[in-house]
Amino acid sequence: MSTLAVEELDDRVVVTLRRPRARNAINAAMIAELHDVCASLEERPRLLLITGDGGTFAAGADIGELRERGREQALQGINSRLFDRVAKLPMPTVAAVDGYALGGGAELAYACDVRLATPTAVFGNPEPGLGILAAAGACWRLRELVGASIAKQVLLAGTRLDADAALRFGLVAEVVPAGELLKRAHTLLDRMARSGSLALRLTKLVADGGGHPLTDDLAQAILFESEEKRVRMDAFLAGGRS
Ligand code: COA
């Protein structure tokens, strides 16, 4: 991996975006490497933590590469397909954001299930300033996360959400000092990891699908028949706690 540091643990994978000289801008190599990470997580589902190196999450798609792209590349949805893949990973994902998460960097964070931030975190979608739109999820995912009014301020007025604003609007779950960011993210992942893994997977699947009484019942039917449910409930009733 030339643009990522990847740490594989038993129950989670930690990915650090690492192109320090370009503020971790997302280029084709990083896209390919993130696809490799997704493939591995689809094959063997684990939690995912994504963070950025050097005090920046990611300053967007690589503008040098974007400049050369035309209609065909736009229609390929180079970034949006990756971020959709990230959003659909089987197990929960957490973005730990320190510093700038702009453009595609913000969209990658929006695609994760939970975001944590440091006081210097800044989310924004300055794409119109470059003559393009934020086409990798911001136009709809950000609206789902913070509502139309705030999303339109970000998308149309170039408003940047600092850590306080991101917390206030519910975009991030928590703001923690930079030195504690990864520890807090791991604590959150530890909590997730203590849940039943199939229960987590199905909850994510059902919740991301918008929920429906039928899918809720079908997913629950699978879980009610699982050995893990029996073991966990037996442990609870016996006085243990899972
Ligand atoms: N694509 C390619 N290169 C980028 C980049 C991007 N999205 N963002 C930053 N870089 C490069 C800069 O060109 C610069 O390269 P250089 O040292 O060879 O000149 C290097 O990263 C450092 O950037 P710089 O602007 O000097 O850092 P800064 O700390 O002053 O500012 C940002 C940081 C993130 C505010 C600023 O780099 C920025 O606005 N980046 C573009 C954000 C953007 O529009 N993203 C949307 C893209 S769709």
Side-chain angles (χ1 to χ4, degrees):
M1 298 272 176
S2 65
T3 67
L4 307 179
V6 179
E7 191 184 355
E8 302 242 6
L9 304 169
D10 260 4
D11 61 358
R12 72 197 64 172
V13 171
V14 182
V15 169
T16 307
L17 311 176
R18 202 168 59 180
R19 287 187 73 213
R21 282 196 294 275
R23 298 288 185 270
N24 302 332
I26 301 170
N27 65 354
M30 190 182 284
I31 294 271
E33 291 175 4
L34 285 169
H35 273 297
D36 288 345
V37 171
C38 288
S40 149
L41 289 170
E42 288 158 359
E43 168 115 6
R44 184 157 86 80
R46 281 156 293 164
L47 301 161
L48 173 64
L49 169 57
I50 303 184
T51 193
D53 194 31
T56 300
F57 185 72
D62 188 291
I63 297 171
E65 290 186 2
L66 274 184
R67 187 182 177 284
E68 303 309 314
R69 289 186 192 154
R71 182 177 56 198
E72 284 309 314
Q73 288 78 27
L75 290 173
Q76 285 166 22
I78 294 170
N79 289 357
S80 62
R81 285 187 190 177
L82 171 69
F83 301 161
D84 283 350
R85 195 172 181 185
V86 168
K88 289 187 180 119
L89 284 171
M91 294 288 279
T93 56
V94 172
V97 177
D98 185 26
Y100 289 107
L102 298 178
E107 290 174 307
L108 175 57
Y110 304 156
C112 292
D113 295 311
V114 180
R115 285 150 295 281
L116 300 182
T118 67
T120 63
V122 177
F123 296 85
N125 283 101
E127 284 89 339
L130 293 166
I132 59 172
L133 70 90
C139 287
W140 57 276
R141 213 169 254 136
L142 181 60
R143 181 192 179 108
E144 287 179 357
L145 292 169
V146 300
S149 173
I150 305 302
K152 285 190 178 180
Q153 291 172 50
V154 172
L155 294 167
L156 302 178
T159 301
R160 291 182 173 187
L161 303 180
D162 64 16
D164 283 346
L167 184 65
R168 198 162 62 248
F169 301 137
L171 182 61
V172 303
E174 207 179 342
V175 177
V176 293
E180 291 174 27
L181 180 65
L182 292 183
K183 188 164 160 266
R184 295 295 287 213
H186 279 292
T187 302
L188 176 62
L189 290 165
D190 290 343
R191 208 156 66 222
M192 292 172 172
R194 284 197 290 274
S195 285
S197 61
L198 187 61
L200 267 189
R201 284 181 69 177
L202 289 180
T203 300
K204 177 167 170 168
L205 212 53
V206 167
D208 281 348
H212 185 282
L214 178 62
T215 51
D216 291 6
D217 287 349
L218 290 175
Q220 192 72 299
I222 293 168
L223 293 169
F224 271 18
E225 296 292 326
S226 69
E227 177 65 8
E228 189 163 39
K229 171 232 180 192
R230 200 186 54 72
V231 169
R232 284 172 175 267
M233 291 198 179
D234 282 353
F236 181 90
L237 294 172
R241 293 289 182 271
S242 57

